[in-house]
Every structure is written in structure tokens, then in C-alpha cells.
């Protein structure tokens, strides 16, 4: 049994959330929350297999995991599962250029036991990952609860400047469920992406990110000038991508998400095309471009609902 990664709840007001969630311990660990897609890596019949958050075996993620991970880990610890974030520009799900990654990397944020799903303590997990040469999410430190809020505020402001996502706050022994806290810039980046495909993205996804901004602005006690900057950033994140999508439709262009993958084998490309088809994703693939010993393939993922809805508006349909 390979259990999924548990859903991490979000802190809206940081200090009361920390005091409530971690009331029984004195210190907490703060690690970076990276912006990519969640993958579980295991070994089956001596070969690494990558499972997405939805429980699917992704052929592209599997090829990358086999390139990036040390098989010795699974031979030595067959009862453990690696949980990590696939991040980088060659990412068909959440492409990001904000990290110093040329193609795609796998950053470990958890190691858990098969069957029970029990996690290793933070320090034990980080030591083990280092021994096998795995990339890991950044550890900002272990802080007392009294100092944690101020430390995390400072970390979040610095992460926001480079458009990184946020942090995950953990019990060092992993007996208590972690919580997460994100940067304003990450919320707005999510909204910029989502509002371009306004009719394909769930309303809860959109609404929750706007609410986060309100609570963060309140807790940080921002000046009038800073609050105006936040409001402007939020408004631009909502309106600009929608206007771009409508303009594209007026020009006769399809509204599509442009991503890319980089594979060693064209067999992986064939398998990935079939994988997306089974997921119900309508995608157009450019011809593979040979780069070194790999193939770079650019993909346009069509968002049918947004395209159909926008086109209907041009035909005079009412909302």
C-alpha cells in the first residue's frame, strides 16, 4: 500500500495557527514549500516508478525519477517511499523558471513508510537524503514558537522577492501534522495563471487565494502605501490574464497553456501522449527538437471550457 501524501492545512493568521497546531512542543522546523508537482517515488521489480498526487503512474515523471534518484536507496530501504516536488521549466504540469534549474529536478520533502504512511523525523530524513545524494527542499532552521512568527515573516518577505511559493512548518519529530504559509506573490502568480483559464479553474481555487491576501495584509499591519501595492498587484493578477485570453480569442487564437518536456526516449513521449489522452487532456505536441542526448518537446494544453465560453460571448450569449 502506497499512501498518498496527506493534505497540509494552511495558516491564515500565522501566530495563532502556530500556537494552536503546535501547542504541545517547544520548537518547530521551517522548510521551503516549492512550486511544482507532488510525486511519490518507489521501486517495483528493481525499477523506480513515479506516482502523481492523483495516484497515476506518469511515464514522464518516471523517466525523470530514474535519471535523478539513486536506486541504491530503494535497495537498502525497500519499505520506504520518497515524497518530493518535481520543479523546473521542463514540467508539463506546473512549469516554473523561478528556480535555478535547467530542466527538471526532484526535491525531497518527506520520506514515509509503506503501508502505515508514517514519516521519518525531519533531521533523520534530511540526513538519509543527504547520504544518497538527493536534492532536498531548503531548511531555514528550527525555531522556538516564540520567535517563529517573526522569523517566518522575514523568510516569506525574502521568498516573495524572488517569487518563490512559501514555507511548510513542521514538528521536528513529525508527530503533529505540518501546516503551510505562502507568499503574496505566489498567490498572485496562481491567480494570473488561473484567470487566463477562468472557466476551467474551480471557483474555490480562485476565492481562497483572494481570502489569503486579506488575512495576510491584516496580520502584517501594512502601511497604506504597502496595502495599495498589494491591492494593485492582486487586481492586475485577476484582470490582465483574462483580458489577454479574450484578446487571443478575438484574434482567432485558442487559449492554451504552453508547457514543455525533455525526454531521453521518444517512447516516453508516446507513452506520455497516451497518458494525457487518458486523463482527458486535449494537447497539441510540436515536433521533438534534439538537444544533446535528449529531445525537447513543446506542448499546448487546450482549455476547452474557457475557449467555448469566450467564443460564445463573442456570439452574443448572456452570462
Amino acid at each position: 500500500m502506497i499512501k498518498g501524501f496527506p493534505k497540509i492545512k494552511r495558516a491564515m493568521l500565522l501566530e495563532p495557527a502556530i500556537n494552536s497546531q503546535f501547542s504541545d512542543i517547544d520548537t518547530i522546523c521551517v522548510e521551503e514549500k516549492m512550486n511544482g508537482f507532488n510525486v511519490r517515488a518507489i521501486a517495483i521489480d528493481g525499477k523506480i516508478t513515479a506516482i502523481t498526487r492523483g495516484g497515476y503512474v506518469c511515464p514522464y515523471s518516471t523517466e525523470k525519477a530514474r535519471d535523478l534518484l539513486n536506486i541504491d536507496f530503494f535497495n537498502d530501504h525497500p519499505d520506504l517511499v520518497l515524497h518530493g516536488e518535481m520543479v523546473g521549466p521542463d514540467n508539463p504540469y506546473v512549469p516554473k523558471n523561478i528556480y535555478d534549474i535547467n530542466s527538471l529536478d526532484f526535491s525531497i520533502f518527506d520520506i514515509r513508510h509503506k503501508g502505515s504512511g508514517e514519516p521519518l523525523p525531519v533531521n533523520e530524513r534530511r540526513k538519509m537524503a543527504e547520504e544518497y545524494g538527493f536534492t532536498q527542499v531548503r531548511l531555514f532552521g528550527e525555531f522556538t514558537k516564540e520567535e517563529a512568527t517573526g522569523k517566518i515573516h522575514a523568510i516569506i518577505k525574502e521568498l516573495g522577492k524572488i517569487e518563490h511559493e512559501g514555507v511548510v512548518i513542521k514538528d521536528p519529530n513529525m508527530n503533529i501534522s505540518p501546516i503551510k504559509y505562502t507568499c503574496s506573490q505566489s498567490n498572485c502568480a496562481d491567480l494570473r495563471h488561473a484567470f487566463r483559464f477562468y472557466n476551467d479553474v474551480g471557483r474555490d481555487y480562485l476565492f481562497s487565494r483572494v481570502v489569503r491576501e486579506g488575512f495576510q495584509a491584516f496580520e502584517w499591519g501594512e502601511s497604506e502605501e504597502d496595502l495599495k501595492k498589494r491591492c494593485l498587484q492582486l487586481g492586475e493578477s485577476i484582470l490582465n490574464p483574462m483580458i489577454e485570453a479574450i484578446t487571443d480569442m478575438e484574434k482567432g487564437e485558442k487559449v492554451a497553456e504552453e508547457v514543455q518536456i525533455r525526454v531521453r526516449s521518444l517512447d516516453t513521449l508516446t507513452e506520455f501522449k497516451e497518458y494525457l489522452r487518458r486523463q482527458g487532456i486535449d494537447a497539441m505536441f510540436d515536433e521533438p527538437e534534439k538537444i544533446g542526448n535528449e529531445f525537447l518537446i513543446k506542448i499546448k494544453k487546450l482549455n476547452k471550457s474557457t475557449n467555448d465560453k469566450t467564443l460564445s460571448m463573442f456570439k452574443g450569449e448572456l452570462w
Side-chain angles (χ1 to χ4, degrees):
M1 175 73 71
I2 309 300
K3 291 192 174 182
F5 186 74
K7 181 176 175 57
I8 299 180
K9 293 187 176 181
R10 186 178 303 274
M12 300 298 279
L13 294 175
L14 194 54
E15 186 170 10
I18 289 173
N19 290 334
S20 174
Q21 182 73 0
F22 302 107
S23 58
D24 295 332
I25 59 176
D26 297 323
T27 64
I28 55 175
C29 290
V30 179
E31 291 185 317
E32 182 165 5
K33 183 181 189 305
M34 301 189 76
N35 202 339
F37 67 100
N38 187 309
V39 167
R40 282 161 283 162
I42 59 172
I44 300 177
D45 296 331
K47 292 184 179 181
I48 296 172
T49 298
I51 306 169
T52 66
R53 191 175 194 109
Y56 301 103
V57 174
C58 171
Y60 178 63
S61 305
T62 294
E63 180 185 291
K64 289 300 182 183
R66 289 174 180 175
D67 287 342
L68 295 167
L69 299 177
N70 184 348
I71 189 65
D72 290 345
F73 171 84
F74 300 98
N75 295 332
D76 296 341
H77 306 283
D79 60 322
L80 296 180
V81 180
L82 292 178
H83 294 253
E85 201 79 7
M86 287 278 194
V87 291
D90 295 338
N91 185 326
Y93 307 112
V94 189
K96 292 290 178 182
N97 289 305
I98 55 177
Y99 303 107
D100 187 20
I101 296 170
N102 181 50
S103 177
L104 197 70
D105 207 353
F106 188 76
S107 293
I108 304 300
F109 58 74
D110 208 354
I111 299 177
R112 291 178 177 254
H113 290 275
K114 289 180 181 176
S116 69
E118 289 297 313
L120 299 186
V122 173
N123 288 335
E124 181 182 344
R125 180 251 297 165
R126 295 192 68 89
K127 181 180 178 182
M128 183 177 288
E130 184 177 356
E131 287 174 358
Y132 287 93
F134 296 148
T135 302
Q136 303 187 63
V137 296
R138 181 165 29 159
L139 173 67
F140 292 104
E142 184 173 341
F143 309 114
T144 65
K145 285 190 297 184
E146 291 73 23
E147 66 180 342
T149 298
K151 294 284 189 181
I152 294 170
H153 277 181
I155 292 167
I156 286 291
K157 287 182 177 178
E158 291 305 309
L159 289 176
K161 291 176 184 178
I162 54 176
E163 298 186 353
H164 285 208
E165 187 171 7
V167 298
V168 180
I169 306 159
K170 300 179 177 181
D171 166 15
N173 292 318
M174 292 295 290
N175 294 323
I176 301 170
S177 298
I179 59 177
K180 56 189 175 184
Y181 191 71
T182 48
C183 308
S184 174
Q185 291 83 351
S186 176
N187 295 332
C188 290
D190 287 347
L191 289 170
R192 280 195 301 272
H193 179 268
F195 270 98
R196 179 167 173 78
F197 313 110
Y198 65 91
N199 218 51
D200 288 272
V201 179
R203 283 165 172 75
D204 286 346
Y205 179 94
L206 304 172
F207 180 68
S208 65
R209 282 154 177 79
V210 176
V211 172
R212 291 176 205 169
E213 289 297 291
F215 275 94
Q216 190 174 87
F218 165 80
E219 184 174 28
W220 289 17
E222 293 179 328
S223 66
E224 185 175 346
E225 181 181 354
D226 286 340
L227 186 56
K228 283 184 177 179
K229 288 180 182 177
R230 185 187 289 267
C231 291
L232 180 62
Q233 177 178 264
L234 180 61
E236 288 180 339
S237 300
I238 292 171
L239 280 181
N240 283 346
M242 282 190 65
I243 294 168
E244 290 171 3
I246 296 166
T247 301
D248 287 346
M249 289 295 294
E250 183 188 33
K251 295 175 181 176
E253 300 174 5
K254 295 283 189 182
V255 179
E257 181 181 4
E258 297 183 0
V259 299
Q260 64 186 41
I261 61 174
R262 195 180 301 243
V263 299
R264 286 184 292 101
S265 169
L266 290 179
D267 290 339
T268 302
L269 172 61
T270 301
E271 292 173 8
F272 187 65
K273 286 181 178 180
E274 175 61 17
Y275 174 79
L276 291 186
R277 188 194 65 78
R278 293 199 308 269
Q279 299 295 311
I281 296 173
D282 190 4
M284 298 184 300
F285 290 75
D286 286 356
E287 285 298 313
E289 177 186 353
K290 189 72 183 291
I291 299 179
N293 62 348
E294 295 181 307
F295 297 91
L296 178 69
I297 305 100
K298 295 185 178 180
I299 307 167
K300 286 187 177 180
K301 294 162 65 178
L302 300 179
N303 290 265
K304 184 172 175 17
S305 181
T306 296
N307 279 288
D308 290 349
K309 189 71 172 178
T310 308
L311 186 59
S312 73
M313 297 300 171
F314 280 113
K315 293 178 179 179
E317 183 176 304
L318 304 179
W319 191 286

